[in-house]
Amino acid sequence: MSDSKTIVITGVTRGLGLAMARYFATHGHTVIGCGRLASLVAELQQELGSQHAISVVDVTDERAVAAWAEASLAKFGAPDLLLNSAAIINANNSLWNVPTDEFSRVVDINIKGVFHVTKHFAPAMIARQSGVIVNFSSGWGRSTSAEVAPYCATKYAIEGLTLALAAELPSGMAAIPLNPGVIATDMLQSCFGEDASSYPQPAAWAQVACPYLLQLSARHNGRSLSVPM
């Protein structure tokens, strides 16, 4: 494809990340993805094929992220689209009953992970003065619900972090906080239980979301957007 893009996706072995990887690969784009579980990474690499690169990376480990970015940039160059989609949610609980280590884990993945990946991929995009960085926010990054305070806090942080980043980027680039909508992922099931199944499945969501992501450009810089489901 003459208009094919190089796309970096975090959290690529589950949920939305997996659905996006499959969509983009099927439609002729190059997928550079990462996930934490080696068995799932190997399965996805085999499924997508050798023209794509799926790596075992824990986004909370900056040294691992730096090595992954260095190898990816050397092979594929700066990405056209960087999708920070890796995230977890706390088990439903009142804030004062959330275990401290669980709170820290949510912060480490949802905020620090985005920082690490952006820190090590963005400079190449800035040097080229083109590319779009999409940090996945949430409806709970713009509103709140009981028992998911840690998750809400991280997604509000992603909104602020991304809008500040947008003000720092050169002309020709964009940073966008994106609310993907309500999708029947494992995270939603942890909150909603069986009711989660009434929402769109990730594969169906990707049919709408991925074309939407591909049309994002510098004119969208600094805008809090939502997938139009």
Side-chain angles (χ1 to χ4, degrees):
M1 291 177 60
S2 60
D3 59 347
S4 65
K5 295 182 182 293
T6 300
I7 303 172
V8 172
I9 310 171
T10 65
V12 78
T13 55
R14 294 182 183 275
L16 303 189
L18 177 58
M20 290 189 292
R22 286 171 167 162
Y23 180 95
F24 289 130
T26 300
H27 287 78
H29 303 284
T30 299
V31 174
I32 304 165
C34 75
R36 285 181 291 161
L37 295 179
S39 59
L40 296 180
V41 165
E43 288 176 11
L44 185 58
Q45 180 69 73
Q46 183 174 17
E47 176 187 339
L48 298 187
S50 60
Q51 66 270 42
H52 308 282
I54 313 301
S55 303
V56 179
V57 181
D58 181 347
V59 295
T60 69
D61 181 345
E62 186 179 359
R63 284 186 291 184
V65 171
W68 172 52
E70 182 178 10
S72 299
L73 293 169
K75 183 174 182 179
F76 297 101
D80 300 295
L81 189 57
L82 171 57
L83 305 174
N84 278 305
S85 65
I88 62 169
I89 196 166
N90 60 286
N92 286 12
N93 216 336
S94 52
L95 180 59
W96 56 90
N97 287 318
V98 173
T100 300
D101 60 348
E102 182 180 15
F103 188 98
S104 296
R105 186 67 176 161
V106 174
V107 169
D108 286 347
I109 292 175
N110 296 8
I111 303 176
K112 292 182 181 178
V114 171
F115 166 64
H116 293 156
V117 174
T118 302
K119 179 179 177 65
H120 291 285
F121 278 97
M125 301 169 75
I126 292 166
R128 193 185 59 191
Q129 295 193 343
S130 67
V132 175
I133 299 169
V134 178
N135 294 332
F136 276 56
S137 178
S138 171
W140 283 334
R142 302 168 191 173
S143 64
T144 59
S145 291
E147 299 192 329
V148 286
Y151 181 80
C152 292
T154 63
K155 292 304 181 178
Y156 267 83
I158 288 301
E159 290 279 329
L161 180 150
T162 309
L163 296 179
L165 172 63
E168 300 167 350
L169 293 176
S171 176
M173 292 188 65
I176 299 159
L178 181 76
N179 171 16
V182 184
I183 307 100
T185 61
D186 291 344
M187 284 203 301
L188 192 71
Q189 191 170 37
S190 79
C191 303
F192 288 10
E194 293 181 0
D195 291 341
S197 62
S198 64
Y199 293 94
Q201 294 294 316
W205 170 86
Q207 295 297 315
V208 176
C210 291
Y212 180 74
L213 288 164
L214 289 170
Q215 60 84 39
L216 295 175
S217 67
R219 66 189 177 88
H220 297 99
N221 187 41
R223 295 172 56 183
S224 290
L225 300 179
S226 300
V227 173
M229 293 296 289

PDB file of all heavy atoms in Angstrom, residues 9 11-12 14-21 85 136 180-181 183-185 201-202 205-206:
ATOM      1  N   ILE A   9       1.994   0.091  18.863  1.00  0.00           N
ATOM      2  CA  ILE A   9       0.853  -0.141  19.758  1.00  0.00           C
ATOM      3  C   ILE A   9       1.357  -0.832  21.017  1.00  0.00           C
ATOM      4  O   ILE A   9       2.033  -1.865  20.945  1.00  0.00           O
ATOM      5  CB  ILE A   9      -0.215  -1.034  19.106  1.00  0.00           C
ATOM      6  CG1 ILE A   9      -0.584  -0.544  17.707  1.00  0.00           C
ATOM      7  CG2 ILE A   9      -1.464  -1.097  19.991  1.00  0.00           C
ATOM      8  CD1 ILE A   9      -1.481  -1.511  16.941  1.00  0.00           C
ATOM      9  N   GLY A  11       0.374  -2.775  24.722  1.00  0.00           N
ATOM     10  CA  GLY A  11      -0.721  -3.609  25.211  1.00  0.00           C
ATOM     11  C   GLY A  11      -1.386  -4.362  24.080  1.00  0.00           C
ATOM     12  O   GLY A  11      -2.607  -4.464  24.002  1.00  0.00           O
ATOM     13  N   VAL A  12      -0.566  -4.938  23.199  1.00  0.00           N
ATOM     14  CA  VAL A  12      -1.051  -5.416  21.912  1.00  0.00           C
ATOM     15  C   VAL A  12      -1.595  -6.845  21.944  1.00  0.00           C
ATOM     16  O   VAL A  12      -2.144  -7.315  20.957  1.00  0.00           O
ATOM     17  CB  VAL A  12       0.083  -5.289  20.872  1.00  0.00           C
ATOM     18  CG1 VAL A  12       1.090  -6.422  21.026  1.00  0.00           C
ATOM     19  CG2 VAL A  12      -0.435  -5.224  19.462  1.00  0.00           C
ATOM     20  N   ARG A  14      -3.948  -8.107  24.073  1.00  0.00           N
ATOM     21  CA  ARG A  14      -5.279  -8.271  24.649  1.00  0.00           C
ATOM     22  C   ARG A  14      -6.187  -7.114  24.233  1.00  0.00           C
ATOM     23  O   ARG A  14      -5.721  -6.037  23.884  1.00  0.00           O
ATOM     24  CB  ARG A  14      -5.222  -8.303  26.188  1.00  0.00           C
ATOM     25  CG  ARG A  14      -4.494  -9.496  26.782  1.00  0.00           C
ATOM     26  CD  ARG A  14      -4.534  -9.443  28.299  1.00  0.00           C
ATOM     27  NE  ARG A  14      -3.799 -10.533  28.928  1.00  0.00           N
ATOM     28  CZ  ARG A  14      -4.292 -11.742  29.177  1.00  0.00           C
ATOM     29  NH1 ARG A  14      -5.534 -12.017  28.820  1.00  0.00           N
ATOM     30  NH2 ARG A  14      -3.560 -12.666  29.752  1.00  0.00           N
ATOM     31  N   GLY A  15      -7.476  -7.333  24.314  1.00  0.00           N
ATOM     32  CA  GLY A  15      -8.455  -6.270  24.214  1.00  0.00           C
ATOM     33  C   GLY A  15      -8.318  -5.384  22.990  1.00  0.00           C
ATOM     34  O   GLY A  15      -8.194  -5.852  21.858  1.00  0.00           O
ATOM     35  N   LEU A  16      -8.326  -4.086  23.233  1.00  0.00           N
ATOM     36  CA  LEU A  16      -8.287  -3.123  22.146  1.00  0.00           C
ATOM     37  C   LEU A  16      -6.970  -3.173  21.388  1.00  0.00           C
ATOM     38  O   LEU A  16      -6.941  -3.020  20.164  1.00  0.00           O
ATOM     39  CB  LEU A  16      -8.522  -1.714  22.688  1.00  0.00           C
ATOM     40  CG  LEU A  16      -9.816  -1.477  23.468  1.00  0.00           C
ATOM     41  CD1 LEU A  16      -9.994   0.001  23.749  1.00  0.00           C
ATOM     42  CD2 LEU A  16     -11.014  -2.043  22.734  1.00  0.00           C
ATOM     43  N   GLY A  17      -5.862  -3.359  22.108  1.00  0.00           N
ATOM     44  CA  GLY A  17      -4.564  -3.427  21.453  1.00  0.00           C
ATOM     45  C   GLY A  17      -4.505  -4.567  20.450  1.00  0.00           C
ATOM     46  O   GLY A  17      -4.012  -4.404  19.328  1.00  0.00           O
ATOM     47  N   LEU A  18      -5.016  -5.714  20.831  1.00  0.00           N
ATOM     48  CA  LEU A  18      -5.040  -6.881  19.948  1.00  0.00           C
ATOM     49  C   LEU A  18      -5.936  -6.619  18.740  1.00  0.00           C
ATOM     50  O   LEU A  18      -5.561  -6.926  17.598  1.00  0.00           O
ATOM     51  CB  LEU A  18      -5.516  -8.109  20.721  1.00  0.00           C
ATOM     52  CG  LEU A  18      -5.668  -9.407  19.931  1.00  0.00           C
ATOM     53  CD1 LEU A  18      -4.353  -9.807  19.280  1.00  0.00           C
ATOM     54  CD2 LEU A  18      -6.182 -10.520  20.847  1.00  0.00           C
ATOM     55  N   ALA A  19      -7.103  -6.054  18.977  1.00  0.00           N
ATOM     56  CA  ALA A  19      -8.032  -5.766  17.878  1.00  0.00           C
ATOM     57  C   ALA A  19      -7.416  -4.777  16.892  1.00  0.00           C
ATOM     58  O   ALA A  19      -7.556  -4.936  15.674  1.00  0.00           O
ATOM     59  CB  ALA A  19      -9.343  -5.223  18.440  1.00  0.00           C
ATOM     60  N   MET A  20      -6.716  -3.762  17.404  1.00  0.00           N
ATOM     61  CA  MET A  20      -6.083  -2.788  16.514  1.00  0.00           C
ATOM     62  C   MET A  20      -4.952  -3.426  15.722  1.00  0.00           C
ATOM     63  O   MET A  20      -4.801  -3.172  14.519  1.00  0.00           O
ATOM     64  CB  MET A  20      -5.572  -1.601  17.322  1.00  0.00           C
ATOM     65  CG  MET A  20      -6.668  -0.717  17.890  1.00  0.00           C
ATOM     66  SD  MET A  20      -6.063   0.828  18.616  1.00  0.00           S
ATOM     67  CE  MET A  20      -5.160   0.211  20.051  1.00  0.00           C
ATOM     68  N   ALA A  21      -4.137  -4.249  16.372  1.00  0.00           N
ATOM     69  CA  ALA A  21      -3.030  -4.897  15.682  1.00  0.00           C
ATOM     70  C   ALA A  21      -3.537  -5.740  14.521  1.00  0.00           C
ATOM     71  O   ALA A  21      -2.981  -5.699  13.409  1.00  0.00           O
ATOM     72  CB  ALA A  21      -2.232  -5.760  16.658  1.00  0.00           C
ATOM     73  N   SER A  85      -1.898   2.299  24.375  1.00  0.00           N
ATOM     74  CA  SER A  85      -3.177   1.720  24.790  1.00  0.00           C
ATOM     75  C   SER A  85      -3.063   0.779  25.985  1.00  0.00           C
ATOM     76  O   SER A  85      -4.090   0.364  26.535  1.00  0.00           O
ATOM     77  CB  SER A  85      -3.832   0.980  23.623  1.00  0.00           C
ATOM     78  OG  SER A  85      -3.077  -0.140  23.224  1.00  0.00           O
ATOM     79  N   PHE A 136      -4.419   6.694  25.120  1.00  0.00           N
ATOM     80  CA  PHE A 136      -5.786   6.265  25.394  1.00  0.00           C
ATOM     81  C   PHE A 136      -6.227   6.735  26.772  1.00  0.00           C
ATOM     82  O   PHE A 136      -5.644   6.383  27.793  1.00  0.00           O
ATOM     83  CB  PHE A 136      -5.899   4.751  25.268  1.00  0.00           C
ATOM     84  CG  PHE A 136      -6.101   4.297  23.848  1.00  0.00           C
ATOM     85  CD1 PHE A 136      -5.198   4.658  22.849  1.00  0.00           C
ATOM     86  CD2 PHE A 136      -7.195   3.528  23.494  1.00  0.00           C
ATOM     87  CE1 PHE A 136      -5.384   4.262  21.539  1.00  0.00           C
ATOM     88  CE2 PHE A 136      -7.395   3.116  22.178  1.00  0.00           C
ATOM     89  CZ  PHE A 136      -6.480   3.491  21.198  1.00  0.00           C
ATOM     90  N   PRO A 180     -11.773   5.826  24.001  1.00  0.00           N
ATOM     91  CA  PRO A 180     -12.152   4.810  23.018  1.00  0.00           C
ATOM     92  C   PRO A 180     -13.627   4.436  23.051  1.00  0.00           C
ATOM     93  O   PRO A 180     -14.125   3.807  22.115  1.00  0.00           O
ATOM     94  CB  PRO A 180     -11.276   3.613  23.404  1.00  0.00           C
ATOM     95  CG  PRO A 180     -11.042   3.784  24.864  1.00  0.00           C
ATOM     96  CD  PRO A 180     -10.959   5.270  25.087  1.00  0.00           C
ATOM     97  N   GLY A 181     -14.322   4.819  24.128  1.00  0.00           N
ATOM     98  CA  GLY A 181     -15.709   4.418  24.294  1.00  0.00           C
ATOM     99  C   GLY A 181     -15.820   3.235  25.236  1.00  0.00           C
ATOM    100  O   GLY A 181     -14.842   2.828  25.870  1.00  0.00           O
ATOM    101  N   ILE A 183     -16.309  -0.582  25.664  1.00  0.00           N
ATOM    102  CA  ILE A 183     -16.121  -1.797  24.865  1.00  0.00           C
ATOM    103  C   ILE A 183     -16.038  -2.998  25.796  1.00  0.00           C
ATOM    104  O   ILE A 183     -15.527  -2.894  26.916  1.00  0.00           O
ATOM    105  CB  ILE A 183     -14.847  -1.705  23.995  1.00  0.00           C
ATOM    106  CG1 ILE A 183     -14.850  -0.422  23.167  1.00  0.00           C
ATOM    107  CG2 ILE A 183     -14.747  -2.897  23.054  1.00  0.00           C
ATOM    108  CD1 ILE A 183     -14.007   0.669  23.760  1.00  0.00           C
ATOM    109  N   ALA A 184     -16.496  -4.130  25.332  1.00  0.00           N
ATOM    110  CA  ALA A 184     -16.559  -5.343  26.155  1.00  0.00           C
ATOM    111  C   ALA A 184     -15.191  -6.007  26.278  1.00  0.00           C
ATOM    112  O   ALA A 184     -14.941  -7.078  25.725  1.00  0.00           O
ATOM    113  CB  ALA A 184     -17.567  -6.317  25.571  1.00  0.00           C
ATOM    114  N   THR A 185     -14.306  -5.366  27.018  1.00  0.00           N
ATOM    115  CA  THR A 185     -12.977  -5.909  27.287  1.00  0.00           C
ATOM    116  C   THR A 185     -12.948  -6.582  28.646  1.00  0.00           C
ATOM    117  O   THR A 185     -13.908  -6.503  29.430  1.00  0.00           O
ATOM    118  CB  THR A 185     -11.934  -4.782  27.266  1.00  0.00           C
ATOM    119  OG1 THR A 185     -12.283  -3.837  28.291  1.00  0.00           O
ATOM    120  CG2 THR A 185     -11.915  -4.081  25.921  1.00  0.00           C
ATOM    121  N   GLN A 201     -17.907  -5.614  21.001  1.00  0.00           N
ATOM    122  CA  GLN A 201     -16.699  -6.406  21.159  1.00  0.00           C
ATOM    123  C   GLN A 201     -15.522  -5.657  20.529  1.00  0.00           C
ATOM    124  O   GLN A 201     -15.694  -4.849  19.613  1.00  0.00           O
ATOM    125  CB  GLN A 201     -16.867  -7.769  20.500  1.00  0.00           C
ATOM    126  CG  GLN A 201     -17.913  -8.653  21.152  1.00  0.00           C
ATOM    127  CD  GLN A 201     -17.528  -9.058  22.565  1.00  0.00           C
ATOM    128  OE1 GLN A 201     -16.384  -9.429  22.821  1.00  0.00           O
ATOM    129  NE2 GLN A 201     -18.485  -8.990  23.481  1.00  0.00           N
ATOM    130  N   PRO A 202     -14.292  -5.917  20.990  1.00  0.00           N
ATOM    131  CA  PRO A 202     -13.133  -5.197  20.462  1.00  0.00           C
ATOM    132  C   PRO A 202     -12.994  -5.262  18.937  1.00  0.00           C
ATOM    133  O   PRO A 202     -12.644  -4.267  18.297  1.00  0.00           O
ATOM    134  CB  PRO A 202     -11.959  -5.875  21.166  1.00  0.00           C
ATOM    135  CG  PRO A 202     -12.526  -6.306  22.474  1.00  0.00           C
ATOM    136  CD  PRO A 202     -13.920  -6.748  22.162  1.00  0.00           C
ATOM    137  N   TRP A 205     -15.424  -2.911  17.428  1.00  0.00           N
ATOM    138  CA  TRP A 205     -14.955  -1.552  17.727  1.00  0.00           C
ATOM    139  C   TRP A 205     -13.839  -1.143  16.784  1.00  0.00           C
ATOM    140  O   TRP A 205     -13.818  -0.020  16.265  1.00  0.00           O
ATOM    141  CB  TRP A 205     -14.480  -1.499  19.175  1.00  0.00           C
ATOM    142  CG  TRP A 205     -13.751  -0.253  19.561  1.00  0.00           C
ATOM    143  CD1 TRP A 205     -14.299   0.917  20.002  1.00  0.00           C
ATOM    144  CD2 TRP A 205     -12.331  -0.050  19.548  1.00  0.00           C
ATOM    145  NE1 TRP A 205     -13.313   1.839  20.268  1.00  0.00           N
ATOM    146  CE2 TRP A 205     -12.096   1.268  20.000  1.00  0.00           C
ATOM    147  CE3 TRP A 205     -11.245  -0.853  19.222  1.00  0.00           C
ATOM    148  CZ2 TRP A 205     -10.800   1.803  20.112  1.00  0.00           C
ATOM    149  CZ3 TRP A 205      -9.960  -0.330  19.330  1.00  0.00           C
ATOM    150  CH2 TRP A 205      -9.756   0.979  19.765  1.00  0.00           C
ATOM    151  N   ALA A 206     -12.900  -2.049  16.516  1.00  0.00           N
ATOM    152  CA  ALA A 206     -11.750  -1.733  15.672  1.00  0.00           C
ATOM    153  C   ALA A 206     -12.161  -1.367  14.256  1.00  0.00           C
ATOM    154  O   ALA A 206     -11.482  -0.563  13.603  1.00  0.00           O
ATOM    155  CB  ALA A 206     -10.781  -2.907  15.646  1.00  0.00           C
TER     156      ALA A 206
END
